[in-house]
Amino acid sequence: MQDYSFMTTEEIFLLQDALKKNKRQITKFMLIGLTLVLIAAFVPQLFLKSRLTQEEVDQSLFSYKNAWFWTWLLTFVLVLIFALIKVTDVRYYTIKKDLTTLQKGQIQVPLETVYQGNNDMQTSFIVKKEGLKKKQRLFYWMRGRLNDFRAGQEVEIVYGRHSRVILSISKV
């Protein structure tokens, strides 16, 4: 069983900073989705209006008046936004949960894999430990690139209980 303790004020500020970064990522993805909606809504209309009559345009699948057009367009954009969030490891809701419960965990494990993500703004660590529920767990360092850690090194990780955002990491 994992032991959890309460976070210090400094650790709370670190999580709040990670939350701000995640909020920026989500906002960026929403703007990408909005841009795609605008492009997908207007470009076909311009193309159709130059080639067809207004009556034919109104009956087209790409017409503003067609409910299926809006259904597939909004579905596509929502799926795209959630796919971007999943691919980039946005931890917004779990960080908020950590800031509510204020609990942190601490483990001492060997690193299995270390990799950079989100344009080198995040370092992710995969650890393997028999005592954990899952054999492998993924932990996130949200404050940039960490080059000092390699696979196989024994480390001590202090992390947010739900988000697994690393509050501090040190070699043992």
Side-chain angles (χ1 to χ4, degrees):
M1 183 71 189
Q2 185 76 31
D3 290 331
Y4 296 103
S5 59
F6 286 108
M7 292 182 195
T8 65
T9 305
E10 180 183 333
E11 292 166 338
I12 293 170
F13 285 125
L14 293 174
L15 273 181
Q16 287 174 339
D17 185 50
L19 186 67
K20 284 181 204 173
K21 289 178 183 178
N22 276 262
K23 197 180 260 186
R24 270 188 250 127
Q25 283 286 88
I26 291 173
T27 303
K28 183 171 70 172
F29 295 151
M30 294 291 188
L31 290 174
I32 290 170
L34 181 62
T35 303
L36 286 175
V37 166
L38 292 174
I39 289 170
F42 288 111
V43 171
Q45 290 295 311
L46 294 174
F47 180 74
L48 291 173
K49 285 184 180 181
S50 68
R51 307 228 188 279
L52 304 173
T53 65
Q54 186 61 39
E55 187 177 310
E56 291 171 326
V57 170
D58 289 342
Q59 292 177 358
S60 168
L61 286 175
F62 295 106
S63 172
Y64 295 132
K65 297 177 182 176
N66 189 339
W68 288 111
F69 170 75
W70 290 107
T71 302
W72 78 261
L73 181 64
L74 294 176
T75 302
F76 170 74
V77 169
L78 283 174
V79 168
L80 176 72
I81 290 170
F82 284 112
L84 286 170
I85 289 170
K86 181 65 177 168
V87 167
T88 57
D89 289 328
V90 173
R91 315 287 305 161
Y92 182 79
Y93 294 107
T94 54
I95 293 172
K96 281 191 85 141
K97 191 171 186 178
D98 277 342
L99 286 170
T100 304
T101 60
L102 298 177
Q103 290 183 335
K104 65 181 178 181
Q106 183 173 348
I107 59 172
Q108 187 173 340
V109 290
L111 295 176
E112 188 168 302
T113 308
V114 179
Y115 64 93
Q116 310 300 320
N118 287 344
N119 297 325
D120 292 335
M121 296 304 296
Q122 171 180 319
T123 304
S124 299
F125 300 94
I126 296 178
V127 300
K128 189 172 187 177
K129 186 174 180 183
E130 296 301 320
L132 298 174
K133 289 180 184 176
K134 297 179 183 175
K135 299 236 183 242
Q136 291 182 336
R137 299 281 305 261
L138 182 61
F139 293 89
Y140 308 91
W141 176 262
M142 304 291 288
R143 290 170 270 161
R145 187 179 185 115
L146 280 180
N147 294 323
D148 299 341
F149 296 93
R150 303 279 179 253
Q153 288 179 326
E154 184 85 14
V155 294
E156 183 177 311
I157 298 175
V158 177
Y159 61 97
R161 178 179 182 177
H162 302 287
S163 64
R164 293 191 312 267
V165 169
I166 298 173
L167 303 170
S168 69
I169 184 170
S170 59
K171 296 176 186 176
V172 177

